[in-house]
Amino acid sequence: MKITVKLDSEGFLPDKYGKNAPAEYLKNDGPILSFPIEIDDLPQNTQALALTLIDYDAVPVAGFPWIHWIATDIPVTNIIPEDASRINKNITQGKNSMVSRYINVTDPTLNTRYAGPKPPENHDYTLTVFALSQPTHLSEGFYLNELLKSVKPITLDTFTLNIKSRK
């Protein structure tokens, strides 16, 4: 399995998916337009996909890795389209780090969707896509630990890609 994300000419996530996004892609000053993900060479028995987008560079700033997006039970596809987090009702999304007791955003359109990068300096983001032998059947608003426990016995393959975002 292989995943690809189109980057800008300098190798960064295009601005429209991060903190330098135009106003129409921001909510409460946070980026909400999820980027497209191309997926190739899925295992033959793949029945669903899951993904995580985590910023491990956030540890010195936040004290923990920042979860930007987690989703599961994505129908098998070769492309998760741009803005899938807001427009695709066929995926189940989990809580991002906006639910942290340090932030405590209660709006589910912000804390259970893609929350794009807003780094204070250039950061690397770790995108992992899981090919699953069956759906997880998690409920909307699940947590990362629940996802990781659910996918462990049903993962056919994974692919991880590091994506850079500029400050």
Side-chain angles (χ1 to χ4, degrees), residues 151-163:
V151 301
K152 188 173 183 178
I154 59 173
T155 296
L156 299 171
D157 199 2
T158 61
F159 193 91
T160 299
L161 182 66
N162 287 321
I163 300 169

Side-chain angles (χ1 to χ4, degrees), residues 99-141:
V99 299
S100 161
R101 65 181 174 177
Y102 305 109
I103 310 293
N104 196 26
V105 171
T106 58
D107 180 348
T109 66
L110 293 172
N111 70 22
T112 310
R113 298 283 180 272
Y114 172 83
K118 290 179 56 173
E121 57 192 42
N122 295 350
H123 276 204
D124 289 333
Y125 295 79
T126 303
L127 172 66
T128 302
V129 175
F130 302 81
L132 306 176
S133 62
Q134 65 186 52
T136 62
H137 301 293
L138 289 171
S139 297
E140 187 82 5

Side-chain angles (χ1 to χ4, degrees), residues 8-45:
D8 69 16
S9 62
E10 297 175 32
F12 288 94
L13 188 66
D15 284 345
K16 71 179 182 176
Y17 306 115
K19 76 177 183 181
N20 298 314
E24 68 262 27
Y25 301 138
L26 298 173
K27 184 172 182 179
N28 290 6
D29 199 36
I32 57 172
L33 180 70
S34 59
F35 52 86
I37 304 165
E38 296 177 24
I39 306 164
D40 294 307
D41 302 323
L42 283 168
Q44 187 172 1
N45 296 326

